[in-house]
Amino acid sequence: MNTTQHVSIDAIDDPRIAMRGNVHDEEIDQLMSDMKEVGLVEPIVVRRVGERFEIIAGHRRTTAARLLNWPTIEAKIVEADDNEALRMRAIENTSRLDVNPVDDAAFCHELMTRAHMTVDEVAGIRNRSVAWVESRLQVYNMPTYLQEYVGQKRIALGSALWITKLEPETKRQYYANWAALNGISISGAKRWYDMMQAEGGLQNVDDSQIGDVAHATGKFVPHTKCKACGEDKPLDDLENIWVCRGLTCQEPSAENDYVNELISS
């Protein structure tokens, strides 16, 4: 029997397998502000686990309530075993548009490793195709920097799936950083992969071809003037000069005078 009542915050545990990797993001501040002003619009959903409760839906709302020092929160208490709780959590989050692919990937991986589900079972519980689940598992196995770019929406998922196939790792990271800075379409990222295949490895591809692909796929390549020669150059042809802020570590020298001139000009 399902009931709705106010439950002590101290008696509520986070989900055993959470959908979101980071509930302490910048949106929490806005959620806290909304809850402080109008209260909880919709109860969270929990299940009993012994003498305590586990969150099924409402992880961020509960986090916001904790940060607001609420003693209790309104919760719908449902009867659910482990698998039923996972299914309910998956259905609740599948309908949300703000879950990023990296959190999706981690959730699918957790279902397989901790709940011992097969790819087919995960596809069924998520109401998705097997191909969709397999693509999320590829995201889970991406290098951390690529996951961060996808999570930050700096690289589209389709582009990242092609970039993750690039070799060697040094080139993969370079191309990923370039794409995060300049943008790359899915077709452009596939062209990079095709170049790697055709040339026997990206170590044999001239880095200038990165910008050529971006131009060919309609992506704008930012330019700026070189501080040394004054010529207009693509950003990927330039290098950063990293120095302490205020140059507090600098000792007088001809080289440092040149660096000071570059920074001040």
Side-chain angles (χ1 to χ4, degrees):
M1 180 178 179
N2 299 338
T3 61
T4 300
Q5 65 185 60
H6 278 82
V7 176
S8 170
I9 290 287
D10 292 338
I12 299 175
D13 296 321
D14 290 340
R16 182 172 63 93
I17 299 179
M19 180 69 182
R20 294 177 182 274
N22 180 20
V23 294
H24 296 278
D25 56 25
E26 64 277 3
E27 295 179 2
I28 283 291
D29 290 338
Q30 182 60 53
L31 180 58
M32 289 172 60
S33 177
D34 293 343
M35 288 172 58
K36 187 175 182 179
E37 182 178 351
V38 301
L40 190 68
V41 175
E42 183 179 358
I44 66 170
V45 180
V46 300
R47 66 167 181 149
R48 291 185 185 275
V49 180
E51 298 298 317
R52 299 184 62 78
F53 299 89
E54 179 190 1
I55 299 170
I56 292 178
H59 194 184
R60 288 200 301 169
R61 280 170 284 162
T62 305
T63 299
R66 288 186 178 124
L67 294 172
L68 289 169
N69 294 317
W70 286 9
T72 64
I73 189 170
E74 188 177 8
K76 181 179 180 181
I77 304 171
V78 301
E79 299 289 337
D81 60 23
D82 289 350
N83 285 336
E84 289 171 336
L86 284 173
R87 186 177 298 277
M88 294 171 66
R89 189 173 301 127
I91 292 172
E92 193 270 341
N93 282 284
T94 296
S95 63
R96 299 182 66 89
L97 300 178
D98 58 344
V99 178
N100 72 59
V102 178
D103 283 343
D104 255 336
F107 187 59
C108 289
H109 182 265
E110 289 286 273
L111 290 176
M112 295 182 67
T113 56
R114 294 180 61 182
H116 307 293
M117 293 185 177
T118 65
V119 171
D120 287 342
E121 288 171 334
V122 173
I125 204 172
R126 298 300 311 278
N127 194 28
R128 302 287 192 178
S129 67
V130 168
W132 182 91
V133 175
E134 290 175 341
S135 74
R136 289 308 186 270
L137 295 177
Q138 285 182 275
V139 173
Y140 183 83
N141 291 315
M142 282 179 181
T144 302
Y145 57 85
L146 255 180
Q147 290 182 346
E148 290 176 352
Y149 287 148
V150 171
Q152 296 163 1
K153 299 182 180 179
R154 296 178 65 185
I155 299 180
L157 175 58
S159 300
L161 288 172
W162 283 109
I163 292 173
T164 197
K165 298 179 181 182
L166 303 181
E167 296 177 350
E169 168 59 23
T170 52
K171 284 288 186 178
R172 181 189 300 123
Q173 187 163 7
Y174 179 82
Y175 277 52
N177 292 341
W178 194 97
L181 176 65
N182 301 293
I184 189 71
S185 64
I186 295 175
S187 60
K190 184 180 182 300
R191 282 277 301 279
W192 285 347
Y193 176 76
D194 292 341
M195 286 161 53
M196 180 191 76
Q197 297 293 91
E199 300 292 336
L202 285 175
Q203 62 269 25
N204 298 320
V205 176
D206 191 313
D207 286 346
S208 65
Q209 291 179 269
I210 300 176
D212 293 341
V213 168
H215 281 301
T217 55
K219 284 293 179 181
F220 173 71
V221 179
H223 284 59
T224 191
K225 285 186 177 181
C226 172
K227 291 293 186 179
C229 69
E231 292 184 10
D232 197 42
K233 298 284 187 178
L235 281 182
D236 56 303
D237 287 344
L238 303 176
E239 294 182 351
N240 292 321
I241 298 176
W242 299 102
V243 296
C244 289
R245 184 167 295 168
L247 299 178
T248 55
C249 68
Q250 300 295 307
E251 294 293 334
S253 71
E255 182 179 351
N256 287 338
D257 287 341
Y258 175 67
V259 171
N260 277 304
E261 182 181 349
L262 291 184
I263 295 173
S264 62
S265 61

mmCIF file of all heavy atoms in Angstrom, residues 19 24 38 44 50 56 63 66-67 77 81 86 88-89 92 167 190-191 202 229:
data_model
loop_
_atom_site.group_PDB
_atom_site.id
_atom_site.type_symbol
_atom_site.label_atom_id
_atom_site.label_comp_id
_atom_site.label_asym_id
_atom_site.label_seq_id
_atom_site.Cartn_x
_atom_site.Cartn_y
_atom_site.Cartn_z
ATOM 1 N N MET A 19 20.941 7.766 -10.586
ATOM 2 C CA MET A 19 20.884 8.105 -12.001
ATOM 3 C C MET A 19 21.838 9.232 -12.326
ATOM 4 O O MET A 19 22.445 9.274 -13.380
ATOM 5 C CB MET A 19 19.446 8.511 -12.369
ATOM 6 C CG MET A 19 19.260 8.884 -13.822
ATOM 7 S SD MET A 19 19.440 7.460 -14.898
ATOM 8 C CE MET A 19 19.239 8.210 -16.493
ATOM 9 N N HIS A 24 25.164 17.943 -6.933
ATOM 10 C CA HIS A 24 25.589 19.208 -6.344
ATOM 11 C C HIS A 24 26.073 20.155 -7.454
ATOM 12 O O HIS A 24 27.143 20.734 -7.376
ATOM 13 C CB HIS A 24 26.701 18.972 -5.314
ATOM 14 C CG HIS A 24 26.267 18.161 -4.140
ATOM 15 N ND1 HIS A 24 25.590 18.686 -3.066
ATOM 16 C CD2 HIS A 24 26.388 16.838 -3.879
ATOM 17 C CE1 HIS A 24 25.321 17.731 -2.195
ATOM 18 N NE2 HIS A 24 25.802 16.606 -2.671
ATOM 19 N N VAL A 38 8.526 28.503 -2.631
ATOM 20 C CA VAL A 38 7.201 27.909 -2.835
ATOM 21 C C VAL A 38 7.054 26.537 -2.187
ATOM 22 O O VAL A 38 5.976 25.936 -2.242
ATOM 23 C CB VAL A 38 6.877 27.788 -4.342
ATOM 24 C CG1 VAL A 38 6.913 29.146 -4.999
ATOM 25 C CG2 VAL A 38 7.836 26.830 -5.045
ATOM 26 N N ILE A 44 8.747 13.593 -3.072
ATOM 27 C CA ILE A 44 9.721 12.631 -3.562
ATOM 28 C C ILE A 44 9.122 11.237 -3.424
ATOM 29 O O ILE A 44 8.069 11.061 -2.796
ATOM 30 C CB ILE A 44 11.056 12.724 -2.793
ATOM 31 C CG1 ILE A 44 10.860 12.302 -1.326
ATOM 32 C CG2 ILE A 44 11.624 14.132 -2.871
ATOM 33 C CD1 ILE A 44 12.173 12.126 -0.566
ATOM 34 N N GLY A 50 14.344 -1.699 5.666
ATOM 35 C CA GLY A 50 14.495 -1.868 7.110
ATOM 36 C C GLY A 50 13.789 -0.734 7.838
ATOM 37 O O GLY A 50 12.610 -0.468 7.607
ATOM 38 N N ILE A 56 13.840 6.792 -4.475
ATOM 39 C CA ILE A 56 13.614 6.260 -5.821
ATOM 40 C C ILE A 56 13.558 7.409 -6.822
ATOM 41 O O ILE A 56 14.168 7.352 -7.888
ATOM 42 C CB ILE A 56 12.313 5.427 -5.875
ATOM 43 C CG1 ILE A 56 12.481 4.147 -5.046
ATOM 44 C CG2 ILE A 56 11.940 5.095 -7.313
ATOM 45 C CD1 ILE A 56 11.248 3.275 -5.003
ATOM 46 N N THR A 63 18.472 16.498 -1.750
ATOM 47 C CA THR A 63 19.743 17.181 -1.504
ATOM 48 C C THR A 63 19.506 18.652 -1.185
ATOM 49 O O THR A 63 20.099 19.212 -0.258
ATOM 50 C CB THR A 63 20.666 17.062 -2.736
ATOM 51 O OG1 THR A 63 20.930 15.678 -2.984
ATOM 52 C CG2 THR A 63 21.979 17.801 -2.513
ATOM 53 N N ARG A 66 18.130 19.014 2.291
ATOM 54 C CA ARG A 66 19.188 18.868 3.299
ATOM 55 C C ARG A 66 19.977 20.167 3.433
ATOM 56 O O ARG A 66 20.301 20.599 4.547
ATOM 57 C CB ARG A 66 20.125 17.725 2.907
ATOM 58 C CG ARG A 66 19.532 16.328 3.062
ATOM 59 C CD ARG A 66 20.578 15.261 2.791
ATOM 60 N NE ARG A 66 20.022 13.919 2.978
ATOM 61 C CZ ARG A 66 20.033 12.981 2.039
ATOM 62 N NH1 ARG A 66 20.577 13.225 0.853
ATOM 63 N NH2 ARG A 66 19.524 11.793 2.281
ATOM 64 N N LEU A 67 20.313 20.773 2.306
ATOM 65 C CA LEU A 67 21.081 22.022 2.325
ATOM 66 C C LEU A 67 20.274 23.163 2.951
ATOM 67 O O LEU A 67 20.853 24.102 3.508
ATOM 68 C CB LEU A 67 21.526 22.392 0.909
ATOM 69 C CG LEU A 67 22.541 21.438 0.266
ATOM 70 C CD1 LEU A 67 22.755 21.791 -1.213
ATOM 71 C CD2 LEU A 67 23.871 21.490 1.005
ATOM 72 N N ILE A 77 5.590 6.924 -0.131
ATOM 73 C CA ILE A 77 6.252 5.685 0.258
ATOM 74 C C ILE A 77 5.622 4.540 -0.532
ATOM 75 O O ILE A 77 4.414 4.311 -0.458
ATOM 76 C CB ILE A 77 6.115 5.433 1.762
ATOM 77 C CG1 ILE A 77 6.670 6.628 2.551
ATOM 78 C CG2 ILE A 77 6.841 4.150 2.159
ATOM 79 C CD1 ILE A 77 6.379 6.569 4.035
ATOM 80 N N ASP A 81 10.753 -3.975 -4.379
ATOM 81 C CA ASP A 81 11.999 -4.691 -4.112
ATOM 82 C C ASP A 81 13.112 -4.011 -4.916
ATOM 83 O O ASP A 81 12.892 -2.989 -5.580
ATOM 84 C CB ASP A 81 11.874 -6.183 -4.442
ATOM 85 C CG ASP A 81 11.531 -6.452 -5.910
ATOM 86 O OD1 ASP A 81 11.806 -5.575 -6.763
ATOM 87 O OD2 ASP A 81 11.007 -7.542 -6.206
ATOM 88 N N LEU A 86 14.701 -0.145 -9.127
ATOM 89 C CA LEU A 86 15.519 0.233 -10.283
ATOM 90 C C LEU A 86 14.649 0.565 -11.484
ATOM 91 O O LEU A 86 14.896 1.542 -12.198
ATOM 92 C CB LEU A 86 16.479 -0.905 -10.635
ATOM 93 C CG LEU A 86 17.693 -1.090 -9.730
ATOM 94 C CD1 LEU A 86 18.447 -2.356 -10.113
ATOM 95 C CD2 LEU A 86 18.615 0.115 -9.837
ATOM 96 N N MET A 88 11.519 1.599 -11.510
ATOM 97 C CA MET A 88 10.822 2.861 -11.272
ATOM 98 C C MET A 88 11.756 4.053 -11.456
ATOM 99 O O MET A 88 11.391 5.073 -12.042
ATOM 100 C CB MET A 88 10.211 2.860 -9.867
ATOM 101 C CG MET A 88 9.106 1.846 -9.669
ATOM 102 S SD MET A 88 8.579 1.697 -7.938
ATOM 103 C CE MET A 88 7.865 3.315 -7.673
ATOM 104 N N ARG A 89 12.989 3.910 -10.947
ATOM 105 C CA ARG A 89 13.967 5.000 -11.083
ATOM 106 C C ARG A 89 14.316 5.221 -12.550
ATOM 107 O O ARG A 89 14.448 6.352 -13.009
ATOM 108 C CB ARG A 89 15.218 4.679 -10.265
ATOM 109 C CG ARG A 89 16.203 5.833 -10.156
ATOM 110 C CD ARG A 89 17.330 5.489 -9.187
ATOM 111 N NE ARG A 89 16.796 5.196 -7.867
ATOM 112 C CZ ARG A 89 17.056 4.091 -7.189
ATOM 113 N NH1 ARG A 89 17.844 3.158 -7.697
ATOM 114 N NH2 ARG A 89 16.530 3.902 -5.988
ATOM 115 N N GLU A 92 11.343 6.897 -14.352
ATOM 116 C CA GLU A 92 11.205 8.298 -13.939
ATOM 117 C C GLU A 92 12.236 9.174 -14.630
ATOM 118 O O GLU A 92 11.947 10.285 -15.063
ATOM 119 C CB GLU A 92 11.345 8.407 -12.418
ATOM 120 C CG GLU A 92 10.908 9.736 -11.826
ATOM 121 C CD GLU A 92 12.010 10.772 -11.744
ATOM 122 O OE1 GLU A 92 13.195 10.382 -11.803
ATOM 123 O OE2 GLU A 92 11.703 11.974 -11.630
ATOM 124 N N GLU A 167 43.536 7.046 -32.472
ATOM 125 C CA GLU A 167 44.777 6.570 -31.848
ATOM 126 C C GLU A 167 45.962 7.298 -32.475
ATOM 127 O O GLU A 167 45.884 7.727 -33.628
ATOM 128 C CB GLU A 167 44.922 5.053 -32.061
ATOM 129 C CG GLU A 167 43.839 4.222 -31.401
ATOM 130 C CD GLU A 167 43.999 2.737 -31.704
ATOM 131 O OE1 GLU A 167 44.836 2.393 -32.577
ATOM 132 O OE2 GLU A 167 43.300 1.932 -31.081
ATOM 133 N N LYS A 190 34.071 12.047 -37.948
ATOM 134 C CA LYS A 190 34.232 10.807 -38.739
ATOM 135 C C LYS A 190 35.338 10.979 -39.775
ATOM 136 O O LYS A 190 36.090 10.038 -40.062
ATOM 137 C CB LYS A 190 32.921 10.438 -39.421
ATOM 138 C CG LYS A 190 32.993 9.112 -40.185
ATOM 139 C CD LYS A 190 31.680 8.772 -40.850
ATOM 140 C CE LYS A 190 31.768 7.413 -41.559
ATOM 141 N NZ LYS A 190 32.805 7.378 -42.605
ATOM 142 N N ARG A 191 35.464 12.169 -40.343
ATOM 143 C CA ARG A 191 36.550 12.424 -41.305
ATOM 144 C C ARG A 191 37.905 12.251 -40.628
ATOM 145 O O ARG A 191 38.839 11.723 -41.226
ATOM 146 C CB ARG A 191 36.424 13.841 -41.875
ATOM 147 C CG ARG A 191 35.365 14.010 -42.953
ATOM 148 C CD ARG A 191 35.870 13.592 -44.323
ATOM 149 N NE ARG A 191 37.031 14.362 -44.720
ATOM 150 C CZ ARG A 191 36.991 15.593 -45.237
ATOM 151 N NH1 ARG A 191 35.821 16.210 -45.391
ATOM 152 N NH2 ARG A 191 38.108 16.210 -45.584
ATOM 153 N N LEU A 202 47.039 8.432 -36.855
ATOM 154 C CA LEU A 202 47.068 9.899 -36.863
ATOM 155 C C LEU A 202 48.456 10.456 -36.635
ATOM 156 O O LEU A 202 48.692 11.642 -36.850
ATOM 157 C CB LEU A 202 46.107 10.432 -35.784
ATOM 158 C CG LEU A 202 44.622 10.330 -36.145
ATOM 159 C CD1 LEU A 202 43.770 10.770 -34.967
ATOM 160 C CD2 LEU A 202 44.278 11.154 -37.359
ATOM 161 N N CYS A 229 54.630 37.890 -34.637
ATOM 162 C CA CYS A 229 54.790 38.331 -36.029
ATOM 163 C C CYS A 229 53.669 39.224 -36.521
ATOM 164 O O CYS A 229 53.792 39.860 -37.568
ATOM 165 C CB CYS A 229 54.928 37.121 -36.957
ATOM 166 S SG CYS A 229 53.410 36.144 -37.114
#
